[in-house]
Amino acid sequence: MTVKNVSVIGTGYLGATHAACMAELGFDVLGVDVDPAKIEALSAGDLPFHEPGLPELIRKHVASGRLRFTTDMSQAGSWADVHFIAVGTPQQRGGTGADLTYVDAATESLAASITKDSLIVGKSTVPVGTAARLAELVEDAAAPGVEVSLAWNPEFLREGYAVEDTLRPDRLVIGTRRPEDEAILREVYAEALERETPWISTDYETAELVKVAANAFLATKISFINAFAEVTETIGGDITTLADAIGYDTRIGRKFLNAGVGFGGGCLPKDIRALQTRVAELGLDHSMRFLDEIDQINLRRRKKAVAQAFELLDQNIEGKKIAVLGITFKPLSDDVRDSPGLDVAARLYSAGADVAVYDPEGNRNAAARYPRLGYVDSLDEAVTAAELVILTTEWNEFKALTPADLEGKVAAKRFLDARNVLPAHDWENAGWTFAQLGRKLNR
Ligand code: UDX
């Protein structure tokens, strides 16, 4: 098969990025989504979320004609050689497992609409065993005389670097049952292969597990250092120096050892919960039980940030203006899903504080979830007359802050750097009561 036409089912974060990048690689691409508002926006070249470089790429290929969007699945079924499934697998409402409703529905409706030989490629993060189940479904739904098969190709993109990670992935993992299917994907990813990107050809189960294992490892690394932060903030010591020192050991590595208010977002928290749930279904609860502790350590960090705020305000928080800087789960994103900063702000608000939230990109999404927090449009507005400033997301604008920037604006010189990104001594020398997560409070 020569691959020319590619469809991407689901045009959220993963799908919109994948569709634009496939067009950039030279394919004709059709993005399909059940949400007409999303399709209308994308067709007009508008991106409904913040991701650096992606709006430009979408506009470029909507204009070039290589990228189109539709709500009509049958268009994809009769046209594309390769279909990527990129719908979400959120945490179940009221449960800890992954909600597979969208993956199942997308696969069923796609398989029923396919009228030419083609390959379906799952990219969504799914519990192990899903691909084998979907393969049967696809086989059953295939029209007589039409050959359709399934491959699994997990996606490792990071928000904020989605375009770069998709165009230049650090590895490609391909789970297939037939060598012909792998050959098709070699054609799709020819450019990455030319750059000698590692190519891992494997079975469905390994491909599915690689994704959740990677995220579980990253979450574990973060909670590992945050567990030590609990120790250093009690007995003394410097968590950042500790991370630097162990990070020089190349077997350990320094990345993902930044202690602070912990991990959030649409992937790490739900993926470690879904993995525990899935292995429990397989009768292996004990195997991933440690991930429960990883989750608990992570959630304790948010409570610790709130406790630190109380301590800095001498337990008297009622009516006090607190500036919360950063509400997205990480910089370069407007995503507030499971955001530690938003959680901290909401807890302080519930405790009676007058919370002023400022985030360069996240205010709108945060306001949709917690409308009652006070959202402001600038750093200055947030810190003016604040009794306490808390840095919860390390946007560059906040990392560049100096004591002089806030001098004369705040009502009291109290700062909680919940991401450990500012030089404590500079702030203390300028007369601030300066706290960090992982550091014993000097007062
Ligand atoms: C993650 C994975 O990195 C990516 O490979 C996968 O495809 C999707 O999930 P993402 O959710 O975009 O990507 O965020 P990531 O950069 O991994 O950060 C996750 C969270 O961990 C953020 O809240 C971040 O602030 C936090 N974090 C990260 C730390 O608290 N400390 C660190 O050292 C690193």
Side-chain angles (χ1 to χ4, degrees), residues 2-76:
T2 302
V3 182
K4 187 174 171 294
N5 300 341
V6 166
S7 86
V8 180
I9 318 300
T11 58
Y13 217 99
L14 167 58
T17 308
H18 195 68
C21 290
M22 284 289 122
E24 178 72 4
L25 291 176
F27 298 101
D28 283 329
V29 182
L30 184 63
V32 185
D33 203 289
V34 291
D35 180 350
K38 217 182 258 178
I39 290 302
E40 200 179 314
L42 288 165
S43 304
D46 293 333
L47 190 63
F49 53 85
H50 177 79
E51 179 60 39
L54 187 54
E56 293 81 352
L57 205 59
I58 288 182
R59 281 197 282 272
K60 176 176 166 190
H61 291 297
V62 166
S64 74
R66 283 221 292 268
L67 179 57
R68 293 173 300 122
F69 296 95
T70 181
T71 52
D72 179 6
M73 184 71 93
S74 67
Q75 283 190 33

Side-chain angles (χ1 to χ4, degrees), residues 18-220:
H18 195 68
C21 290
M22 284 289 122
E24 178 72 4
L25 291 176
F27 298 101
D28 283 329
V29 182
L30 184 63
V32 185
D33 203 289
V34 291
D35 180 350
K38 217 182 258 178
I39 290 302
E40 200 179 314
L42 288 165
S43 304
D46 293 333
L47 190 63
F49 53 85
H50 177 79
E51 179 60 39
L54 187 54
E56 293 81 352
L57 205 59
I58 288 182
R59 281 197 282 272
K60 176 176 166 190
H61 291 297
V62 166
S64 74
R66 283 221 292 268
L67 179 57
R68 293 173 300 122
F69 296 95
T70 181
T71 52
D72 179 6
M73 184 71 93
S74 67
Q75 283 190 33
S78 58
W79 175 81
D81 307 304
V82 174
H83 306 272
F84 287 97
I85 305 251
V87 294
T89 51
Q91 187 169 329
Q92 280 167 353
R93 273 175 187 275
T96 48
D99 179 353
L100 295 176
T101 321
Y102 308 111
V103 168
D104 288 358
T107 312
E108 264 168 47
S109 114
L110 171 63
S113 76
I114 290 179
T115 53
K116 62 186 274 197
D117 292 357
S118 47
L119 177 65
I120 301 178
V121 186
K123 289 203 83 63
S124 310
T125 303
V126 291
V128 60
T130 305
R133 183 173 59 77
L134 295 179
E136 266 179 47
L137 190 154
V138 166
E139 208 170 294
D140 291 347
V146 179
E147 197 169 287
V148 186
S149 67
L150 181 80
W152 215 262
N153 164 220
E155 178 57 57
F156 304 99
L157 66 79
R158 298 160 299 166
E159 294 191 14
Y161 301 90
V163 172
E164 176 67 18
D165 285 352
T166 306
L167 288 176
R168 276 168 285 279
D170 51 13
R171 79 284 210 192
L172 284 157
V173 177
I174 308 292
T176 55
R177 282 184 171 168
R178 307 185 325 161
E180 309 88 283
D181 297 341
E182 187 188 339
I184 293 172
L185 284 165
R186 281 187 172 273
E187 204 187 313
V188 170
Y189 292 123
E191 204 173 296
L193 281 170
E194 263 169 41
R195 279 195 311 274
E196 300 192 354
T197 305
W199 178 268
I200 295 115
S201 170
T202 185
D203 49 39
Y204 287 164
E205 290 74 17
T206 309
E208 293 168 319
L209 282 170
V210 168
K211 173 61 194 267
V212 286
N215 277 356
F217 193 84
L218 295 173
T220 301

Side-chain angles (χ1 to χ4, degrees), residues 211-227 255-259 262-264 267-273 275-276 290-299 301:
K211 173 61 194 267
V212 286
N215 277 356
F217 193 84
L218 295 173
T220 301
K221 240 184 141 178
I222 299 168
S223 279
F224 177 90
I225 200 68
N226 278 333
K255 288 180 184 161
F256 272 67
L257 281 181
N258 294 324
F263 59 82
C267 292
L268 262 45
K270 69 119 175 147
D271 286 353
I272 59 169
R273 292 169 199 153
L275 177 56
Q276 288 175 78
F290 73 98
L291 288 177
D292 187 43
E293 199 55 47
I294 299 305
D295 204 1
Q296 297 309 319
I297 294 167
N298 191 52
L299 295 175
R301 293 287 77 197

Side-chain angles (χ1 to χ4, degrees), residues 173-390:
V173 177
I174 308 292
T176 55
R177 282 184 171 168
R178 307 185 325 161
E180 309 88 283
D181 297 341
E182 187 188 339
I184 293 172
L185 284 165
R186 281 187 172 273
E187 204 187 313
V188 170
Y189 292 123
E191 204 173 296
L193 281 170
E194 263 169 41
R195 279 195 311 274
E196 300 192 354
T197 305
W199 178 268
I200 295 115
S201 170
T202 185
D203 49 39
Y204 287 164
E205 290 74 17
T206 309
E208 293 168 319
L209 282 170
V210 168
K211 173 61 194 267
V212 286
N215 277 356
F217 193 84
L218 295 173
T220 301
K221 240 184 141 178
I222 299 168
S223 279
F224 177 90
I225 200 68
N226 278 333
F228 276 89
E230 293 186 330
V231 177
T232 52
E233 67 204 9
T234 305
I235 189 76
D238 182 335
I239 194 65
T240 305
T241 306
L242 176 67
D244 291 345
I246 63 172
Y248 280 116
D249 183 331
T250 50
R251 292 170 304 175
I252 297 173
R254 178 61 177 83
K255 288 180 184 161
F256 272 67
L257 281 181
N258 294 324
V261 71
F263 59 82
C267 292
L268 262 45
K270 69 119 175 147
D271 286 353
I272 59 169
R273 292 169 199 153
L275 177 56
Q276 288 175 78
T277 309
R278 181 61 185 136
V279 297
E281 283 168 10
L282 298 171
L284 298 167
D285 333 31
H286 50 278
S287 301
M288 296 292 154
R289 198 171 290 144
F290 73 98
L291 288 177
D292 187 43
E293 199 55 47
I294 299 305
D295 204 1
Q296 297 309 319
I297 294 167
N298 191 52
L299 295 175
R300 281 206 298 276
R301 293 287 77 197
R302 302 171 183 193
K303 288 193 189 147
K304 180 67 186 183
V306 174
Q308 287 262 34
F310 268 84
E311 196 175 337
L312 287 162
L313 291 167
D314 300 317
Q315 309 301 327
N316 178 13
I317 199 166
E318 185 82 36
K320 295 277 170 69
K321 178 170 178 182
I322 301 179
V324 175
L325 305 183
I327 208 74
T328 52
F329 84 102
K330 70 178 209 179
L332 298 179
S333 168
D334 63 354
D335 195 342
V336 299
R337 284 177 294 171
D338 212 333
S339 161
L342 184 53
D343 195 23
V344 168
R347 284 168 194 255
L348 293 170
Y349 172 82
S350 300
D354 168 16
V355 176
V357 173
Y358 169 64
D359 188 284
E361 297 291 341
N363 280 15
R364 195 168 50 94
N365 284 342
R369 284 180 190 230
Y370 287 95
R372 284 188 293 179
L373 302 180
Y375 296 95
V376 297
D377 293 328
S378 70
L379 175 67
D380 260 12
E381 228 181 303
V383 300
T384 299
E387 301 270 350
L388 168 65
V389 179
I390 310 183

